[in-house]
Amino acid sequence: MNKPCLLALFVILFSPTVSGDDLKLRVVTLGYEDAEAGSGDPKETILRQIETKIIPGKKFSVSCWSSAERIELRGSSIQDKESKLKVSLYYKYSKVTAEVMEAIRLVEGDAASLDRISQLLPGSSTQTTITLKPGDSFELGGFTRVTEGVGKSKAPKTFSANRMVVTLVDSDSERHKNVKQRDEPKTR
């Protein structure tokens, strides 16, 4: 075997590659909602999350409903020479009013109508392109809001804040980490 072929075989066998079967794109919204003033520092928790398996070079699209909330994640990814993924993504969060939920129930079963309605929902969205390697995270954005009681209600001042974090997860390494955590002895 000549040297160039041997070198190419070595590079193929030992270079780090990203397998589409092992990758998930996860968007987590962390924060707190309506924490009352004077109740101490609010604890950041997971408010909502969505994830999808991604395959380099292919488009992805996933959405989910949770009571009156809708989350949508779609986009595509391209793998570069250093096994990083350039991910173009669109993320949208919508809180649905009772009237819209009723309209959605009326067209239930008609996927095309349901999709058109969900595209018209007001909400917050972001669209960006980022480069990630497995295990990397990127903050998409977030907000902080202060609400004060007005008029006769004099409701207490509340604070809400959240941030959205996208992570490229290697499912295989996550599985190994979970197995190791279960194998560790528990203290009594």
Side-chain angles (χ1 to χ4, degrees):
M1 193 179 262
N2 62 17
K3 286 183 182 181
C5 287
L6 188 59
L7 179 62
L9 181 62
F10 180 80
V11 168
I12 290 169
L13 291 175
F14 296 104
S15 66
T17 58
V18 176
S19 168
D21 292 338
D22 298 332
L23 292 176
K24 291 188 278 185
L25 192 67
R26 180 180 297 153
V27 179
V28 178
T29 302
L30 301 161
Y32 51 89
E33 293 181 346
D34 301 324
E36 284 191 26
S39 62
D41 286 335
K43 255 191 176 169
E44 187 175 73
T45 60
I46 296 174
L47 300 173
R48 52 198 153 268
Q49 80 176 19
I50 189 168
E51 70 180 33
T52 186
K53 188 183 266 189
I54 64 172
I55 299 171
K58 303 280 184 181
K59 291 182 177 185
F60 58 87
S61 179
V62 65
S63 63
C64 67
W65 288 93
S66 173
S67 63
E69 298 177 325
R70 183 182 195 309
I71 303 171
E72 180 182 355
L73 177 64
R74 67 176 189 256
S76 62
S77 65
I78 301 170
Q79 186 174 354
D80 69 10
K81 294 175 185 170
E82 290 87 36
S83 294
K84 292 182 180 180
L85 287 181
K86 183 176 183 180
V87 181
S88 297
L89 65 88
Y90 172 80
Y91 173 86
K92 182 177 180 181
Y93 167 76
S94 302
K95 197 150 192 156
V96 185
T97 64
E99 294 84 20
V100 173
M101 284 302 290
E102 185 58 33
I104 290 169
R105 279 191 198 95
L106 292 174
V107 297
E108 194 171 327
D110 181 3
S113 296
L114 184 59
D115 196 39
R116 278 186 299 239
I117 290 171
S118 64
Q119 289 175 359
L120 298 173
L121 294 175
S124 60
S125 65
T126 185
Q127 186 168 351
T128 190
T129 301
I130 54 177
T131 301
L132 301 166
K133 64 182 188 296
D136 282 355
S137 293
F138 179 82
E139 195 163 316
L140 290 175
F143 79 90
T144 303
R145 179 182 69 223
V146 177
T147 307
E148 293 188 52
V150 292
K152 294 179 182 177
S153 73
K154 294 290 184 187
K157 183 187 267 190
T158 60
F159 300 91
S160 299
N162 75 31
R163 59 191 181 97
M164 295 163 296
V165 179
V166 61
T167 304
L168 183 61
V169 179
D170 180 354
S171 301
D172 194 42
S173 67
E174 191 174 68
R175 248 189 318 272
H176 290 302
K177 183 174 81 174
N178 290 338
V179 168
K180 285 181 185 177
Q181 287 174 349
R182 279 186 262 141
D183 292 343
E184 292 175 4
K186 304 271 188 286
T187 57
R188 294 179 188 221

